[in-house]
């Protein structure tokens, strides 16, 4: 308890200098006017950087960066080292931001695998740059987010992927039984800097904010010890990139609304719902031309298609074909889930059942936090049974000898006759895992006691 209070006082002290200076700077040299509110609004427009470096905003940004953790950038500084660095350098950093002289370092380029195969390039800014971006994000988000479309759900406060999926479900229930599934090819790598900054300049009047935003875009990339200039794209990995993507793609939202289309967009995933195949093909052709001409973005024609919603996936979910559709797990999501569970329950690791269940429970809790939003409990029930069979296979292999298997089955309440038949069986592990003896020795309640989460509301075992 005392440690938390000391940590809080330490963070408060970091930004003690300059407390309240944003409000004083905003009012300095401003005469009272009959149009006070409009004058104040114009002052805020050109003095956003004062809000960025305000002490409260900096404290929140520091907490967010520390909570998000993340790897070091090109300078090797870790998140844990950031508070100490700020304690010494905050006044100088603040002055650089206010004067417009701050220059970010190149991002460190790393390659990470994509869930559906292939890889994605991730740009990791330095910890200090992440802190500055987070301060900018908090101010710009409050200012820009209210202007975005109601059909946009990605990277926005108070909005989520679940809300996007539910909105898509509403369109299908209203009779839009075809979906135009648009996939933008390498969107974050292809963002045109001039187009993006032109749209930022329409919304933000503080030249310093625009200058530092452009500096982050042009900071360059370090890979294998060499720095390469970046003339397009906004690197994934920085706090500011999602907001900038919404600024650019807000033009797409406005165009779709102008055309009177029913759509849902989550970051660069956009689904448009129409009533016929012909209408879908017409919309696909028109929107593709518009994206490539107006925003200089490329549509991935191999992954984009017009089809039935229950044949496509959206944010890991799909839908049933009923008149009132239900949310279900997309087949790709089930396949990825099973692959991960197989990795966690491998029988060659030598780990105890308790250890395996603990690791598995950690993954399942995170998975359920997102995918429990589906409305097909029978699928979750089948997955839960499948997991228990995997765990029974693990135990059966660890017992190895027939004598050990017989003894352990009897100890768990299996009759001697049933235990003898099962222990002496030459069947493979997967078939044995479904036998009455192993189901009796290791019922669902047993795994629940070990801490295995239930994937669905349990009925009779």
């Amino acid at each position: 308890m005392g440690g938390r209070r000391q940590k809080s006082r330490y963070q408060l002290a970091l930004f003690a200098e300059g407390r309240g200076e944003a409000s004083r700077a905003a009012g300095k040299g401003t005469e009272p006017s009959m149009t006070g509110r409009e004058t104040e609004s114009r002052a805020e427009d050109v003095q956003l950087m004062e809000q960025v470096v305000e002490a409260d905003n900096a404290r929140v940004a520091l907490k967010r960066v520390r909570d998000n953790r993340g790897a070091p950038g090109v300078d090797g500084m870790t998140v844990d080292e950031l508070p100490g660095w700020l304690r010494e350098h905050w006044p100088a950093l603040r002055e650089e931001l206010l004067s417009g002289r701050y220059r970010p370092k190149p991002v460190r380029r790393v390659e990470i695998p994509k869930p559906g195969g292939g890889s994605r390039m991730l740009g990791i800014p330095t910890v200090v740059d992440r802190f500055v971006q987070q301060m900018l994000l908090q101010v710009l988000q409050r200012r820009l987010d209210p202007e975005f479309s109601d059909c946009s759900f990605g990277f926005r406060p108070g909005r989520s992927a679940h809300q996007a999926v539910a909105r898509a479900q509403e369109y299908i229930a209203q009779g839009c039984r075809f979906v135009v599934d648009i996939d933008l090819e390498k969107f974050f790598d292809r963002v045109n800097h001039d187009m993006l900054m032109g749209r930022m300049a329409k919304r933000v009047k503080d030249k310093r904010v625009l200058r530092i935003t452009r500096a982050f875009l042009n900071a360059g990339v370090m890979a294998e010890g060499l720095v390469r200039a970046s003339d397009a794209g906004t690197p994934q990995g920085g706090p500011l990139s999602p907001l900038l993507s919404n600024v650019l793609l807000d033009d797409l939202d406005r165009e779709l609304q102008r055309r009177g289309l029913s759509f849902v967009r989550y970051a660069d995933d956009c689904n448009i719902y129409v009533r016929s195949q012909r209408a879908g093909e017409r919309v696909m052709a028109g929107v593709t031309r518009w994206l490539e001409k107006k925003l200089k973005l490329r549509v991935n024609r191999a992954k984009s298609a017009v089809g039935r919603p229950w044949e496509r996936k959206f944010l890991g979910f799909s839908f049933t074909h009923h008149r009132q559709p239900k949310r279900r797990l997309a087949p790709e999501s089930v396949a990825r889930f099973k692959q991960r569970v197989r990795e966690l329950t491998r029988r060659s690791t030598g780990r105890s059942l308790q250890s395996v269940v603990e690791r598995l429970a950690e993954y399942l809790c995170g998975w359920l936090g997102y995918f429990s939003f589906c409305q097909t409990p029978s699928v979750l029930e089948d997955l839960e049974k499948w997991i228990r069979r995997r765990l029974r296979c693990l135990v059966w292999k660890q017992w190895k000898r027939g004598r050990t298997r017989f003894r352990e089955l009897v100890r768990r309440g299996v009759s001697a006759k049933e235990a003898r038949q099962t222990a002496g069986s030459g069947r493979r592990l997967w078939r044995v895992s479904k036998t009455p003896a192993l189901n009796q020795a290791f019922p669902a309640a047993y795994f629940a006691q070990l801490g295995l989460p239930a994937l669905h509301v349990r009925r009779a075992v």
Side-chain angles (χ1 to χ4, degrees):
M1 191 72 175
R4 286 198 296 270
R5 284 197 298 268
Q6 184 177 1
K7 177 181 174 182
S8 176
R9 287 196 299 269
Y10 172 68
Q11 291 190 356
L12 285 172
L14 281 180
F15 309 107
E17 182 179 352
R19 180 186 295 272
E21 292 186 17
S23 59
R24 290 198 297 272
K28 185 177 180 181
T30 303
E31 296 294 332
S33 169
M34 293 294 291
T35 58
R37 181 171 298 181
E38 294 181 5
T39 304
E40 182 181 356
S41 177
R42 287 196 296 270
E44 290 177 352
D45 284 346
V46 297
Q47 293 182 335
L48 281 182
M49 190 58 79
E50 278 72 17
Q51 299 177 38
V52 170
V53 300
E54 206 276 329
D56 289 338
N57 188 59
R59 276 193 292 272
V60 173
L62 176 59
K63 184 179 186 305
R64 292 279 174 83
V65 171
R66 297 190 71 181
D67 290 345
N68 291 336
R69 306 300 298 172
V74 296
D75 61 356
M77 183 188 295
T78 66
V79 172
D80 292 331
E81 294 172 332
L82 179 60
W85 186 93
L86 286 173
R87 188 175 188 181
E88 181 179 353
H89 296 94
W90 169 246
L93 174 62
R94 182 177 178 278
E95 179 57 34
E96 286 184 358
L97 292 170
L98 288 173
S99 64
R101 292 183 289 105
Y102 182 81
R103 291 295 177 266
K105 292 182 172 62
V107 300
R108 182 167 65 88
R109 180 60 59 92
V110 296
E111 188 175 355
I112 60 172
K114 295 175 67 173
S119 61
R120 173 185 290 117
M121 300 307 295
L122 189 69
I124 303 178
T126 65
V127 174
V128 175
D129 285 342
R130 294 209 294 269
F131 170 70
V132 174
Q133 286 193 36
Q134 184 64 43
M135 289 195 297
L136 280 167
L137 172 66
Q138 290 163 184
V139 172
L140 291 175
Q141 189 107 57
R142 291 194 300 267
R143 191 166 195 80
L144 303 181
D145 190 80
E147 302 174 3
F148 294 151
S149 167
D150 183 57
C151 297
S152 167
F153 293 88
F155 309 120
R156 298 183 60 189
R159 289 173 171 256
S160 67
H162 287 173
Q163 293 174 337
V165 173
R167 179 70 62 86
Q169 186 180 11
E170 292 175 10
Y171 290 144
I172 300 169
Q174 292 168 6
C176 298
R177 312 287 282 184
F178 291 84
V179 59
V180 181
D181 187 354
I182 296 177
D183 182 88
L184 296 176
E185 185 176 336
K186 297 182 178 179
F187 167 73
F188 285 93
D189 295 333
R190 297 185 184 276
V191 170
N192 185 287
H193 289 175
D194 292 335
M195 286 189 169
L196 173 58
M197 291 310 302
R199 283 149 181 81
M200 283 288 292
K202 293 178 181 179
R203 293 172 164 89
V204 177
K205 303 305 178 186
D206 192 325
K207 301 297 184 182
R208 297 165 298 178
V209 172
L210 296 176
R211 194 177 301 122
I212 192 173
T213 302
R214 169 75 81 164
F216 277 119
L217 293 174
N218 295 337
V221 175
M222 177 176 284
E224 299 179 354
L226 299 176
V227 176
R228 178 173 54 84
S230 52
D231 53 6
T234 171
Q236 291 177 269
L240 200 55
S241 293
L243 176 65
L244 297 180
S245 71
N246 276 333
V247 170
L248 183 64
L249 291 176
D250 187 57
D251 278 22
L252 171 62
D253 299 340
R254 294 175 186 272
E255 177 63 18
L256 297 180
Q257 289 174 331
R258 188 186 67 78
R259 299 185 184 195
L261 296 170
S262 300
F263 72 97
V264 183
R265 184 177 66 80
Y266 190 94
D268 56 335
D269 288 334
C270 184
N271 277 9
I272 306 169
Y273 293 87
V274 295
R275 294 180 180 270
S276 69
Q277 178 79 21
R278 184 176 179 182
E281 292 172 354
R282 185 173 63 249
V283 169
M284 173 68 82
V287 172
T288 298
R289 284 194 302 269
W290 187 90
L291 282 166
E292 294 179 348
K293 180 179 179 180
K294 298 294 185 180
L295 297 185
K296 307 300 181 186
L297 297 174
R298 186 178 300 172
V299 173
N300 189 330
R301 286 170 171 79
K303 295 184 178 180
S304 302
V306 179
R308 295 289 195 174
W310 43 90
E311 296 172 350
R312 307 294 297 177
K313 66 179 177 68
F314 182 52
L315 301 178
F317 292 92
S318 187
F319 304 93
T320 65
H321 63 275
H322 301 99
R323 184 177 297 274
Q324 294 296 324
K326 292 183 179 181
R327 300 181 295 271
R328 67 180 180 90
L329 299 178
E332 295 88 344
S333 299
V334 175
R336 286 198 297 270
F337 172 82
K338 286 191 170 184
Q339 179 59 33
R340 182 57 180 151
V341 171
R342 288 189 184 100
E343 293 172 0
L344 293 171
T345 58
R346 283 181 299 183
R347 296 184 283 274
S348 59
T349 59
R351 292 190 178 92
S352 67
L353 179 61
Q354 180 67 59
S355 174
V356 170
V357 169
E358 288 175 358
R359 295 184 64 200
L360 186 59
E362 184 178 350
Y363 169 70
L364 292 179
C365 287
W367 187 87
L368 280 171
Y370 184 75
F371 285 106
S372 61
F373 191 58
C374 77
Q375 297 174 310
T376 50
S378 61
V379 176
L380 296 179
E381 185 176 0
D382 290 343
L383 289 175
E384 191 173 349
K385 291 178 180 178
W386 177 79
I387 290 172
R388 289 199 294 269
R389 287 188 68 181
R390 292 279 308 175
L391 295 174
R392 292 182 186 118
C393 285
L394 174 68
V395 176
W396 195 246
K397 183 176 182 181
Q398 288 179 347
W399 284 346
K400 294 182 180 179
R401 295 175 177 272
R403 291 180 182 178
T404 304
R405 291 170 173 174
F406 172 78
R407 183 180 68 250
E408 294 295 335
L409 288 176
V410 171
R411 190 167 69 86
R412 285 167 171 78
V414 180
S415 68
K417 180 180 178 181
E418 187 74 29
R420 189 175 297 107
Q421 290 177 347
T422 306
S425 172
R427 289 178 291 184
R428 293 182 178 275
L429 293 175
W430 188 247
R431 292 192 63 188
V432 174
S433 67
K434 200 176 181 181
T435 58
L438 260 71
N439 275 272
Q440 181 181 349
F442 298 100
Y446 174 82
F447 293 112
Q449 290 176 354
L450 292 180
L452 186 70
L455 300 188
H456 75 297
V457 178
R458 194 181 306 283
R459 297 190 291 271
V461 177

